[in-house]
Amino acid sequence: MDKFVIEGGHPLQGEIVTSGSKNAALPALAATLLTEEAVTLRGLPRVRDIGTMERLLEEIGAAVDAANGCVRVTARELRRPEAPYELVKTMRASSLVLGPLVARCGQARVSLPGGCAIGARPIDLHIRALEELGARVGQEHGYVVATAPAGGLRGATIAFDRITVTGTEDVMMAATLARGETVIENAAREPEVSDLAELLAKMGARIEGAGSSTIRVQGVERLHGAEHQVITDRIEAGTFLLAGAITRGRLTVRHAPVAHLTALLAKLRQVGVPVTQEDSETLTVHPGDALHSVDMTTEEYPGFATDLQAQYMALMTQGDGIAIITETIFENRFMHALELARMGAKIRLDGRKALVAGGPLSGAAVLASDLRASAGLVLAGLCAKGQTVIDRVYHIDRGYERIEEKLAAAGACIRRVED
Ligand code: EPU
């Protein structure tokens, strides 16, 4: 298992380029199952989750041709409409194939994800929504088995009890091939949902309202091939902005999806981190005066992203007072707090709240527990005194493209050690 070795205390300087969005690329890849024609996707990040999704598409029967961040998927015949446990257990987003498979093949068998490091994360909302579209959904041997009625799925009104990003994406994809109109209420408004709707529209789907909390889909007989460039990754860009801030560096982030970073940019302003915008996709963080401790609550988009909570917590360990961080999306997303404490951070956990007091960090051996927690630990390591060794960085490789190379090119002292 690879480790990162970081010598802290080097302010980041120069430029970093943002990659394509993992969480936009995953549903886009699942959407390729909706048509027998070729779909070409550009700008995909070369991260492990994307490789896992490509493997899943191949297992299902699609031809996947990937090179240099461009992938061409042709799902002419789907011989095995199934997402096996071996893949789902490493990547929960595999459940994104459920909707497309039931819609296209009339049946799907997708392993239940089980628990994960950041909470229970069930897929009951995906299942209930597909039942509303007429699917019969049962469970056997740890798998969800869904079957469309004779004549296929039929449009319906689906009101989600709570906002779910991949749930919205899953049912939006299924609805494109259902008979009649589907209305999705309390839909997720994340930019990744809008990006998926854009791809589906290029494939011939009729969708209105993506990006708002009500999405309307008029089902069509069939979808066709298309080409699409996925949006850049707001979480990766945000991680780099926070890395620049925590090291008191001057760092320019290119290809930043500026419009998708509003909540983070507002928070950085409150904290006292100067950020300038050079053009529509370039942001620079500058060293400011003291970093203020500012409370933060995670929310669905357009609120502050839960996927930046660990990185923000790392920043708050350098604040001038106490910040209260409240996690509202996942019930168990504070694993990094315990590791940060090993580095000297003063953090008290109280249910879904973390009280973070500012103070110096000192390098230590720590363990990455999930993707974004690991990013938080990397940021802490960049500003800690001395050496930090982060074990199990395979978590970070799931969603960040060569993060250590990008950071090292901007002056960080970080290297990967292969075990
Ligand atoms: N939930 C349910 N039932 C469901 C679905 C969700 O109870 O059927 C609960 C979840 O347990 C959670 C909340 O609803 O407490 C919101 O979960 P959501 O479904 O929105 O999360 P997701 O779709 O599984 C996506 C991202 C996550 C990101 C969340 C929240 C992808 C592939 N994943 O997950 O990204 O944290 O939305 O924004 O888009 C990451 O990239 O590190 C990551 C975890």
Side-chain angles (χ1 to χ4, degrees):
M1 271 184 279
D2 293 1
K3 295 182 173 71
F4 282 164
V5 178
I6 305 175
E7 297 291 339
H10 301 272
L12 295 184
Q13 307 282 352
E15 292 187 2
I16 290 193
V17 179
T18 315
S19 297
S21 160
K22 164 181 85 77
N23 289 350
L26 290 170
L29 283 165
T32 64
L33 295 174
L34 289 163
T35 175
E36 56 195 38
E37 294 182 19
V39 176
T40 302
L41 300 172
R42 299 186 196 286
L44 305 191
R46 292 324 297 167
V47 297
R48 205 155 49 90
D49 275 8
I50 298 300
T52 306
M53 185 58 106
E54 287 168 1
R55 245 190 16 256
L56 175 56
L57 298 180
E58 282 176 333
E59 291 247 336
I60 290 170
V64 179
D65 199 356
N68 305 324
C70 173
V71 178
R72 188 181 150 96
V73 183
T74 315
R76 195 155 291 132
E77 259 174 76
L78 303 181
R79 50 171 194 278
R80 191 171 172 231
E82 177 173 321
Y85 178 62
E86 291 64 45
L87 293 178
V88 178
K89 75 176 183 211
T90 65
M91 187 186 64
R92 298 180 32 87
S94 312
S95 52
L96 279 167
V97 301
L98 183 60
L101 287 178
V102 194
R104 167 100 185 269
C105 311
Q107 54 173 311
R109 221 173 148 258
V110 172
S111 170
L112 279 162
C116 74
I118 61 177
R121 297 178 85 189
I123 56 165
D124 56 317
L125 298 172
H126 302 230
I127 293 171
R128 226 175 302 148
L130 288 173
E131 283 175 340
E132 300 275 5
L133 295 182
R136 219 167 5 90
V137 186
Q139 193 185 322
E140 60 179 39
H141 311 299
Y143 279 72
V144 169
V145 182
T147 316
L153 298 176
R154 45 176 194 269
T157 294
I158 292 152
F160 278 118
D161 285 349
R162 67 174 294 180
I163 297 175
T164 160
V165 179
T166 51
T168 300
E169 293 164 346
D170 212 2
V171 70
M172 185 166 76
M173 290 189 276
T176 60
L177 292 178
R179 270 179 297 133
E181 181 181 68
T182 298
V183 181
I184 307 171
E185 289 170 358
N186 201 21
R189 293 181 286 161
E190 268 67 3
E192 294 76 21
V193 174
S194 308
D195 196 48
L196 173 64
E198 212 175 284
L199 164 64
L200 292 168
K202 288 177 186 166
M203 294 167 68
R206 293 174 58 203
I207 302 175
E208 270 173 35
S212 78
S213 45
T214 304
I215 301 177
R216 287 174 191 278
V217 185
Q218 311 289 337
V220 295
E221 275 291 307
R222 55 188 297 277
L223 295 178
H224 51 73
E227 281 197 31
H228 183 68
Q229 166 105 23
V230 299
I231 51 175
T232 55
D233 198 313
R234 63 193 168 100
I235 305 302
E236 191 203 19
T239 301
F240 292 140
L241 292 173
L242 288 160
I246 202 171
T247 63
R248 318 308 293 274
R250 189 180 305 280
L251 181 71
T252 296
V253 180
R254 296 212 179 272
H255 293 183
V258 178
H260 304 156
L261 287 164
T262 312
L264 173 67
L265 295 176
K267 197 54 79 181
L268 285 174
R269 256 195 309 279
Q270 288 175 295
V271 171
V273 178
V275 183
T276 52
Q277 182 177 349
E278 281 72 43
D279 59 43
S280 62
E281 47 179 34
T282 308
L283 292 168
T284 302
V285 276
H286 305 266
D289 302 328
L291 293 174
H292 304 308
S293 296
V294 179
D295 297 350
M296 184 276 281
T297 299
T298 61
E299 284 167 13
E300 289 90 358
Y301 190 84
F304 195 102
T306 172
D307 289 346
L308 286 172
Q309 179 256 105
Q311 302 88 314
Y312 185 77
M313 186 183 288
L315 182 69
M316 283 301 98
T317 66
Q318 302 307 296
D320 59 1
I322 294 178
I324 302 175
I325 296 178
T326 310
E327 172 58 56
T328 69
I329 308 294
F330 293 111
E331 69 267 29
N332 185 26
R333 208 174 198 184
F334 281 146
M335 305 283 273
H336 44 281
L338 306 173
E339 299 299 308
L340 288 172
R342 303 200 49 199
M343 300 175 70
K346 297 189 209 78
I347 302 176
R348 208 176 80 214
L349 295 182
D350 180 10
R352 288 190 172 217
K353 289 191 189 303
L355 277 69
V356 187
L361 295 181
S362 64
V366 290
L367 211 56
S369 57
D370 73 78
L371 170 54
R372 307 302 172 186
S374 336
L377 295 178
V378 168
L379 265 53
L382 292 178
C383 82
K385 196 166 167 18
Q387 189 177 78
T388 295
V389 180
I390 306 179
D391 202 352
R392 299 198 186 161
V393 298
Y394 59 83
H395 285 294
I396 209 162
D397 294 332
R398 284 188 41 212
Y400 288 89
E401 190 173 79
R402 303 175 288 104
I403 190 169
E404 77 283 16
E405 289 177 29
K406 289 192 183 190
L407 289 170
C413 191
I414 176 171
R415 65 194 158 87
R416 180 183 292 261
V417 178
E418 286 171 22
D419 228 13

